[in-house]
Amino acid sequence: MSSSVTVRVLRRLQGLRAGPVRGPAGLRAEPGRFLSSGGAMNVFNRDMKKRQKQRVAALKDGHQYDYLRDEVGSRVADRVYDIARTFPLALDIGGGKSHIAEHLNKDVVQSLVLTDVSQQNLKRCRQTEVPTRCVVVDEEFLPFKENTFDLVLSSLSLHWINDLPGVLRQIQQVLKPDGVFIGAMVGGDTLYELRCSLQLAESEREGGFSAHVSPFTAVTDLGNLLGGAGFSLLTVDVDEVQVHYPGMMEVMTDLQGMGESNCAWNRRSLLHRDTMLAAAAVYREMYGNQDGSVPATFEILYMIGWKPHESQAKPAKRGSATASFGDLSQISRPTDTGRS
């Protein structure tokens, strides 16, 4: 079941400069898919992503860009509470400023290892009720032993991973048997308003367009990825968060403040100012609200997977049924109780 929440962010855009305008944060030309030496896709420059997160963490007003991560983090925490057990040791991958942990208590999670690729982010992590140890870790390479954690969490960091199947396998390995992974990542329909507006404006002004939004995982593929990584008892659902802004420029400003800037290897770093202004006009015309604001939609994919254990429920063996589907037709028929 999907739901929608509207978070209103009405801030005044300041400091626009003349001249070329940089490409929107989090939006990029369609990256070439290169193979690394290990055979995995190498779409994103992970070192650049680390530098971007470091810069964002150093912003004095950086807390005003945390609204989306805080909202999704609270929803991931809700899914933890849905599981009736206590987790002695949990791992938060890409946890940043404790966006999930601040919604948990020590009765559910007794101890937490909080990781992020940015040391600055970890230094700004919030005080929570759960005892926490911070470790600088690249999400693509988890330096933990197998069968270590009872719970692994991740919120809005896996969409920058080059080898998502490989990372899911690593998560499955560091979980103890009957441990659970609960994660959230952006899906394929994220920022469709911005994508369509840029494509239409670029086609009109430049005679063609590039794909400006990173390739996101589709919800239809997520179950296969989790199953291929060795998880069982899978649950996948979709949520939608819609944020309203004064205009398209504010959308891009906030994406940059979130640390969602372009880090594709063959990114297009500049867009013509005329194209950007035309895209802003198209955005408002096609998607604008009556009050003058414009929406930006974030599709959030939530996933839950368990590491197999003999105590878990298993499907019945084929052929073990004691009733036939043919008997279903007899259920609604009245019985002849009045006849002798």
Side-chain angles (χ1 to χ4, degrees):
M1 179 180 295
S2 65
S3 62
S4 176
V5 63
T6 299
V7 183
R8 293 194 172 272
V9 181
L10 298 176
R11 297 192 296 106
R12 180 179 298 176
L13 182 63
Q14 299 176 348
L16 280 179
R17 300 178 180 178
V21 178
R22 289 193 174 274
L27 309 176
R28 59 201 67 82
E30 181 69 19
R33 293 181 172 270
F34 307 100
L35 288 178
S36 67
S37 57
M41 293 294 183
N42 190 8
V43 176
F44 306 117
N45 183 338
R46 294 289 300 172
D47 289 334
M48 177 175 288
K49 177 51 58 182
K50 179 180 178 179
R51 292 194 298 270
Q52 291 170 353
K53 287 190 173 184
Q54 297 276 39
R55 288 195 297 268
V56 168
L59 295 175
K60 293 182 179 180
D61 61 346
H63 62 277
Q64 67 178 317
Y65 302 110
D66 291 338
Y67 52 87
L68 181 62
R69 296 187 187 280
D70 289 340
E71 176 66 31
V72 177
S74 70
R75 299 187 185 193
V76 173
D78 286 343
R79 286 161 171 80
V80 178
Y81 285 111
D82 288 339
I83 301 174
R85 69 166 61 177
T86 297
F87 300 97
L89 182 60
L91 169 67
D92 187 347
I93 300 174
K97 303 175 186 176
S98 304
H99 301 287
I100 302 175
E102 67 176 348
H103 302 285
L104 300 174
N105 61 57
K106 60 184 179 182
D107 293 330
V108 176
V109 176
Q110 297 177 339
S111 182
L112 176 71
V113 176
L114 180 69
T115 72
D116 199 276
V117 70
S118 165
Q119 187 172 14
Q120 290 290 339
N121 256 347
L122 294 176
K123 287 181 178 180
R124 291 180 174 270
C125 70
R126 303 158 187 168
Q127 293 295 323
T128 67
E129 182 179 333
V130 180
T132 301
R133 180 164 63 95
C134 297
V135 183
V136 177
V137 169
D138 186 332
E139 296 95 330
E140 291 193 337
F141 306 99
L142 302 183
F144 305 106
K145 295 181 180 180
E146 292 187 20
N147 305 323
T148 299
F149 298 97
D150 305 280
L151 168 69
V152 175
L153 304 169
S154 180
S155 180
L156 300 186
S157 67
L158 296 182
H159 59 284
W160 293 114
I161 297 298
N162 283 309
D163 183 14
L164 183 57
V167 170
L168 291 176
R169 285 193 295 270
Q170 291 183 61
I171 292 173
Q172 198 266 6
Q173 289 170 0
V174 302
L175 278 170
K176 294 178 181 178
D178 202 33
V180 59
F181 166 57
I182 304 176
M185 62 187 298
V186 295
D189 285 339
T190 296
L191 298 175
Y192 69 87
E193 303 98 339
L194 187 54
R195 178 172 59 240
C196 292
S197 300
L198 285 169
Q199 289 180 352
L200 289 172
E202 199 172 8
S203 296
E204 191 272 330
R205 294 302 173 95
E206 302 182 32
F209 66 87
S210 302
H212 292 284
V213 177
S214 171
F216 297 128
T217 302
V219 64
T220 52
D221 297 328
L222 202 51
N224 292 333
L225 290 172
L226 291 168
F231 288 100
S232 61
L233 305 177
L234 307 179
T235 302
V236 177
D237 63 294
V238 184
D239 222 344
E240 202 173 77
V241 177
Q242 192 172 79
V243 186
H244 292 254
Y245 298 87
M248 190 189 79
M249 298 300 185
E250 286 87 346
V251 176
M252 297 186 294
T253 298
D254 275 28
L255 288 172
Q256 195 168 41
M258 294 176 191
E260 297 299 305
S261 300
N262 185 348
C263 73
W265 283 104
N266 62 342
R267 65 196 179 280
R268 181 181 178 183
S269 59
L270 296 176
L271 285 174
H272 294 299
R273 183 175 180 81
D274 287 348
T275 301
M276 296 293 290
L277 294 175
V282 172
Y283 201 133
R284 190 175 300 278
E285 178 66 25
M286 292 183 62
Y287 305 105
N289 301 313
Q290 292 184 353
D291 62 0
S293 63
V294 297
T297 301
F298 298 86
E299 183 187 48
I300 311 297
L301 311 181
Y302 296 91
M303 65 200 95
I304 301 177
W306 295 78
K307 188 165 184 175
H309 187 262
E310 59 183 8
S311 65
Q312 294 173 356
K314 297 178 176 62
K317 293 182 179 180
R318 187 178 181 85
S320 62
T322 59
S324 170
F325 278 109
D327 297 335
L328 295 176
S329 61
Q330 306 296 324
I331 294 177
S332 61
R333 291 186 179 181
T335 56
D336 296 333
T337 55
R339 295 184 180 182
S340 57

